[in-house]
Amino acid sequence: MTTITSTPLVPVAPPALAGAASDTAALFARHVRHIARTPEKLLGVTLMPVAYVVIFGVLFGAAIALPGGSSYGEYLMAGIFTQTMLSTVSSTALGVADDLGNGLVDRFRSLPMSQGAVLLARTASNLVLSLVSITVMALVGLLIGWRVSAGAAAALGAVGLLLLFGFAMSWLGALIGLVVRGAEAISAVAFLIVMPLTFLSNAFIPLNGLPAWLRAVCEWNPISSVVAACRELFGNPAPAGDSFPAAHPIPMAVALTLAVLLVTAPLAVRAYRSAVAR
Amino acid sequence: MEPAIRAEGLYKRYGDHEALRGVDVTVPAGEVFGVLGPNGAGKTTTVRILSTLLVPDGGQAFVSGHDVVRDPRAVRRAIGLAGQYAAVDEKLTGRENLRLIGTLYRMGRRTAKARADELLERFSLRDAANRVVKTYSGGMRRRLDLAVSIIAEPAVMFLDEPTTGLDLTSRLALWEMIREQVARGATVLLTTQYLEEADQLADRIAVIDGGRVIAEGTPDELKAKVGGEQLEVTVAHHRDVPAVTALLGRLVVAPPTTSADGLTVSVPLHDGFGGVADAAAALRPLGAAVTDFGTRRPSLDDVFLALTGTTATPERTTP
Ligand SMILES: Nc1ncnc2c1ncn2[C@@H]1O[C@H](COP(=O)(O)OP(=O)(O)OP(=O)(O)O)[C@@H](O)[C@H]1O
Ligand SMILES: [Mg+2]
């Protein structure tokens, strides 16, 4: 009978929190490498939004006038920023489904590592991509006449809110990826979620002209709160509304985003555990 | 002493399909245990339950003394897994894959680095170490996957069809690696469809079919189940086969069998060399062109055929 004589390579019980942090860091580095090695992905998260900024800002901005005569181009910027954060839903979902499909999730689950780290590293690495998009869009926006007029601190607050919203959308995406799994089905589901959320909001159109019921629906859409909060923080024109969410966009945006995060993150972690255990 | 792997009555259902119908497995520490079975027998399902990836619907299992359902983390600290399909990150290099998993085993960055270099060398991947895995061939991926699974020198290793898709050199290298793991005290459970592999490596073998263990024992015990030696006579021309068959049939009690190509006639050999001599003497006056004449001990193939009614050789062509 032989026994293992060499010192074991795996420590008996690493401290839980430090271990989870090191797992997350290692997997975060993995995602950053992925981003660096997939230039098309970086192009996707920068070119698309820039195209939006230019097309909507320059073309439509010239053709459409807002009530009160303020610039439609300026009005749009917050909408485009927010819409870009929404696109994280499908990219995260596809990435998670890919890891499931190629067996990496099985590999991770057979390791004595923190299981929450797998999703946290992915959603956190998306923040890097989001920050890149926001920066590029802001620069292009500034070039074509967009102005921030509520001070640097407020503008940074808007960026922080956008990142928080993007983070919540990543978790929503992770949940969708784990539950739906197939790439085509994921694209369809993400489209069905993102499209109505974008267009039933104030991202691209002022809500003043809508029938009352539709206007109420749009005002309670979390996207509208995030967009309105950004407009306020950037100091961009925003027709005021008198409904509760329209009157308090910043607290509403933070509360609704946190609510989405608090619902989707635990659900996603649970789906992760059972997705592979079936 | 607690066995390295102990499973009792493992039961698993997918919808109304019963994948496992009460699998019992006990593997003492330091043993190589082979799990042999045709497609769909339940090999992968068993491995996935033992490696904490799948929760059984019934029965229980302990690996290194820890319950796979109640204490998966303790089990994960003790095991290494190479699944049926290579699970490596295509966008990372071979070296990065190894370091990542080493770090996730919490062995510390420095140890992970050193182990990665060592394993790249051992698995002949040094030249490809800095290339992304997307550019690897199937066999290279498989080797990387195996290297990843032993990076932490686990006490118990699960290898699900580890040599499928490997060329001969790599296969021999893998067998060597498995023997080394056993020499350092590891317990290995491997599934395979290659009987030769189970014969070469395994101390004991369980044959599973339809979600049940239908036979278990050492390779020799299993071979003994299908009887003793066979005498095989191969002739050059089909026209000689009936005469040879009739002649050999007269020498023994059991009816002779003919091989698939119709040129080899086999009979069970009861009285050893005496029987061989009688057969040789009887064949001589026949004047048939005999191209091969010899005795053969039953292979695991025969065992398999006798037990399951199918051959274990995997289908090479997929429709
Ligand atoms: N996720 C699943 N959903 C439904 N049925 C499944 C699933 N996984 C396995 N099965 C079924 O369970 C049975 C056992 O499968 P398993 O993968 O364990 O076989 P195996 O012995 O590993 O076969 P192979 O040699 O082909 O790898 C098969 O009939 C298979 O169809
Ligand atoms: Mg299998």
Side-chain angles (χ1 to χ4, degrees):
Chain A
M1 175 99 307
T2 45
T3 47
I4 296 182
T5 45
S6 59
T7 41
L9 288 173
V10 180
V12 178
L17 206 61
S22 103
D23 294 344
T24 309
L27 289 166
F28 184 84
R30 164 187 180 231
H31 290 296
V32 171
R33 289 208 167 93
H34 282 185
I35 294 170
R37 279 171 203 171
T38 357
E40 62 271 22
K41 200 165 173 183
L42 264 180
L43 277 184
V45 299
T46 49
L47 271 191
M48 274 271 285
V50 164
Y52 269 106
V53 170
V54 172
I55 293 169
F56 281 83
V58 177
L59 295 180
F60 295 11
I64 299 172
L66 283 187
S70 45
S71 147
Y72 183 60
E74 291 247 296
Y75 176 83
L76 266 179
M77 280 302 288
I80 296 169
F81 278 127
T82 308
Q83 193 215 22
T84 305
M85 296 301 106
L86 263 176
S87 67
T88 326
V89 172
S90 66
S91 62
T92 310
L94 291 171
V96 168
D98 197 36
D99 276 358
L100 269 178
N102 63 25
L104 273 172
V105 168
D106 279 357
R107 162 74 71 209
F108 294 146
R109 283 190 72 249
S110 76
L111 299 179
M113 59 178 288
S114 149
Q115 297 302 310
V118 175
L119 294 179
L120 182 59
R122 180 177 287 280
T123 49
S125 69
N126 280 342
L127 289 175
V128 176
L129 279 177
S130 297
L131 194 58
V132 172
S133 313
I134 293 174
T135 311
V136 173
M137 278 187 287
L139 290 176
V140 173
L142 289 170
L143 273 180
I144 63 170
W146 172 61
R147 287 297 171 263
V148 168
S149 50
L156 285 180
V159 172
L161 173 62
L162 285 169
L163 289 176
L164 180 68
F165 179 68
F167 188 60
M169 290 303 107
S170 288
W171 281 100
L172 174 63
L175 178 61
I176 293 173
L178 288 163
V179 173
V180 180
R181 287 162 171 245
E184 263 144 47
I186 285 174
S187 301
V189 169
F191 181 81
L192 283 178
I193 292 178
V194 168
M195 274 322 252
L197 277 178
T198 315
F199 287 103
L200 291 177
S201 80
N202 59 3
F204 299 109
I205 45 160
L207 302 177
N208 312 49
L210 298 179
W213 66 272
L214 191 55
R215 181 173 176 171
V217 169
C218 294
E219 279 175 339
W220 282 94
N221 177 350
I223 308 296
S224 296
S225 297
V226 174
V227 173
C230 288
R231 284 189 184 127
E232 187 172 325
L233 290 166
F234 286 135
N236 293 151
D242 31 56
S243 72
F244 181 80
H248 308 89
I250 298 174
M252 276 303 284
V254 173
L256 287 173
T257 304
L258 284 177
V260 171
L261 193 57
L262 288 178
V263 171
T264 51
L267 281 179
V269 171
R270 241 184 65 176
Y272 176 84
R273 285 176 203 271
S274 64
V276 245
R278 59 187 177 203
Chain B
M1 188 176 161
E2 173 77 19
I5 303 170
R6 181 160 62 87
E8 283 159 10
L10 289 184
Y11 180 86
K12 181 71 191 177
R13 215 177 44 217
Y14 292 108
D16 53 9
H17 175 75
E18 293 177 304
L20 295 185
R21 298 186 292 166
V23 167
D24 299 313
V25 168
T26 303
V27 185
E31 189 174 282
V32 179
F33 189 81
V35 174
L36 209 57
N39 289 140
K43 302 183 296 292
T44 298
T45 308
T46 306
V47 167
R48 287 172 64 82
I49 290 174
L50 293 176
S51 54
T52 76
L53 297 183
L54 206 58
V55 178
D57 298 320
Q60 47 181 355
F62 301 85
V63 173
S64 276
H66 306 288
D67 188 315
V68 297
V69 177
R70 294 220 188 88
D71 199 1
R73 187 171 279 224
V75 172
R76 289 168 188 163
R77 269 198 287 275
I79 63 170
L81 167 69
Q84 186 165 357
Y85 305 100
V88 284
D89 189 330
E90 296 228 306
K91 293 191 202 109
L92 298 186
T93 66
R95 175 171 279 127
E96 287 165 349
N97 266 287
L98 282 161
R99 285 184 183 175
L100 172 66
I101 302 300
T103 311
L104 294 177
Y105 264 115
R106 314 242 174 109
M107 56 172 58
R109 269 166 213 284
R110 189 173 308 173
T111 318
K113 261 184 166 169
R115 282 289 286 160
D117 291 344
E118 193 184 322
L119 289 167
L120 287 165
E121 189 74 40
R122 283 286 315 280
F123 284 82
S124 319
L125 290 168
R126 205 188 49 190
D127 294 340
N130 297 325
R131 266 167 42 199
V132 289
V133 172
K134 206 186 294 179
T135 66
Y136 282 22
S137 74
M140 289 164 78
R141 270 169 217 238
R142 187 79 233 181
R143 295 207 300 268
L144 178 63
D145 192 53
L146 289 161
V148 164
S149 71
I150 62 163
I151 193 165
E153 301 202 326
V156 179
M157 299 181 47
F158 295 103
L159 308 174
D160 196 357
E161 299 194 21
T163 57
T164 303
L166 289 189
D167 61 22
L168 185 63
T169 320
S170 304
R171 185 173 303 181
L172 294 177
L174 179 75
W175 288 359
E176 186 55 35
M177 184 280 283
I178 292 175
R179 292 192 182 108
E180 272 171 36
Q181 297 299 310
V182 175
R184 70 162 173 86
T187 308
V188 178
L189 182 145
L190 70 95
T191 78
T192 182
Q193 305 202 17
Y194 299 107
L195 300 155
E196 187 204 349
E197 186 160 284
D199 206 1
Q200 284 274 335
L201 290 173
D203 300 307
R204 273 183 322 124
I205 294 171
V207 181
I208 67 172
D209 193 28
R212 250 197 261 274
V213 176
I214 56 170
E216 200 193 314
T218 64
D220 284 338
E221 280 166 7
L222 290 183
K223 286 180 204 162
K225 281 198 177 169
V226 284
E229 277 180 294
Q230 299 259 323
L231 173 67
E232 287 187 351
V233 179
T234 306
V235 292
H237 307 293
H238 282 284
R239 61 170 187 268
D240 293 328
V241 171
V244 171
T245 307
L247 191 140
L248 291 177
R250 249 174 276 131
L251 293 175
V252 293
V253 277
T257 54
T258 312
S259 66
D261 66 1
L263 288 173
T264 302
V265 181
S266 320
V267 284
L269 201 57
H270 290 299
D271 46 354
F273 281 120
V276 176
D278 291 348
L283 279 171
R284 199 180 180 101
L286 209 60
V290 173
T291 55
D292 196 12
F293 179 92
T295 62
R296 185 172 70 86
R297 294 187 9 97
S299 70
L300 276 170
D301 273 304
D302 301 312
V303 177
F304 208 86
L305 190 59
L307 288 170
T308 68
T310 56
T311 51
T313 314
E315 289 159 42
R316 300 250 174 218
T317 49
T318 38

